[in-house]
Amino acid sequence: MRPVDLTVRPFTVTTGDHGTFTADALIVATGASARLLGLPAERELMGYGVSACATCDGFFFKDKELIVVGGGDTAMEEATFLTRFASKVTVVHRRDELRASKIMQQRAMANPKIAFAWNSMVADIVGTREKGIEAVVLEDTVTGARRTQPAQGVFMAIGHRPNTALFEGKLAMDETGYIVTEPGTPRTSVEGVFACGDVQDHVWRQAVTAAGSGCMAAIEAERWLAARGE
Ligand code: NDP
């Protein structure tokens, strides 16, 4: 069974719960998922002190000590943003060198509220849903030594994965799996198929920009159908 068939018109989409749909035009809005470490405590405490979005949740951590996991531009951006609220932000990175661009590194390193835990990974998160987070257990990636550091919030910033497995080989994607759209439009490589939101955007990734691009896709699909007399 093919869950999505874009080789015939109308297109067909087969869902788990609601059967098969046909569509003259299709809008893909499957989003992207934040990469997580895979710790049981991370799942358990997601929304209770663990977050993957500083702009969404940073406000709730006024005067708290926070951990940001990752060494890329997102981690630098989130750590810098969180210093507006937090008393201290520790960036935990598994290597001794950042992946982030020089300018983002410099900005984070010049911030007196940001500290770096090099060659470190979060091995566990100590806390409960009732009381929130108390600490993280950090493991040295070179020596394996463990230490506990107090923290009331943990922000995962180790990248995102677009939810595009369904469309592999069917729509043009970039090397990281994001759907490629014609610049400034929601048009994909298949005529009549449009993409919007985080599935085609690894830069802005905000609810408001996703909603805006969703509106663009809806208008574009309607115009495309109208032009074909549908
Ligand atoms: P990246 O893939 O660039 O970085 C992910 C970071 O997380 C890396 O440092 C990586 O470590 C680390 N990491 C990945 N998996 C794990 C793991 N399992 N455990 C611990 N650490 C892990 O993702 P970003 O989200 O930072 O950036 C994505 C893209 O968006 C980039 O092209 C970036 O430049 C861009 N961007 C630009 C911004 C700007 O210019 N303002 C802002 C935000 C993003 P390692 O380095 O060891 O691989």
Side-chain angles (χ1 to χ4, degrees), residues 3-191:
V4 177
D5 192 344
L6 306 179
T7 60
V8 290
R9 290 173 193 270
F11 306 127
T12 56
V13 177
T14 303
T15 64
D17 296 335
H18 302 288
T20 297
F21 296 84
T22 59
D24 296 310
L26 187 69
I27 297 176
V28 179
T30 46
S33 305
R35 287 184 196 276
L36 299 174
L37 297 173
L39 301 170
E42 176 187 43
R43 280 255 167 252
E44 170 72 13
L45 298 170
M46 184 59 71
Y48 296 86
V50 177
S51 171
C53 177
T55 44
C56 315
D57 299 325
F59 180 75
F60 299 110
F61 294 90
K62 202 160 184 309
D63 298 326
K64 306 288 188 207
E65 292 188 33
L66 303 179
I67 300 290
V68 171
V69 185
D73 282 334
T74 300
M76 297 309 108
E77 192 169 64
E78 304 239 316
T80 304
F81 176 77
L82 287 168
T83 60
R84 295 185 194 187
F85 314 103
S87 57
K88 180 184 175 190
V89 178
T90 303
V91 175
V92 174
H93 185 39
R94 61 185 176 183
R95 295 186 289 136
D96 62 358
E97 199 182 351
L98 294 169
R99 178 179 295 277
S101 58
K102 279 281 171 286
I103 179 74
M104 303 286 280
Q105 292 193 27
Q106 283 163 1
R107 201 171 296 162
M109 286 176 175
N111 191 316
K113 282 190 177 178
I114 298 179
F116 289 84
W118 301 108
N119 294 323
S120 299
M121 60 181 215
V122 173
D124 200 3
I125 303 168
V126 182
T128 61
R129 288 190 168 190
E130 291 71 33
K131 292 189 177 161
I133 291 174
E134 293 166 30
V136 289
V137 178
L138 299 182
E139 185 175 305
D140 190 302
T141 53
V142 181
T143 65
R146 289 192 169 198
R147 66 192 170 89
T148 301
Q149 175 163 329
Q152 292 82 53
V154 180
F155 286 79
M156 300 301 167
I158 58 173
H160 288 78
R161 190 179 19 244
N163 301 319
T164 51
L166 207 57
F167 301 100
E168 262 165 36
K170 297 167 185 169
L171 294 174
M173 296 177 193
D174 69 14
E175 64 284 356
T176 52
Y178 283 85
I179 292 177
V180 174
T181 51
E182 269 179 49
T185 83
R187 285 177 225 137
T188 70
S189 56
V190 174
E191 208 187 319

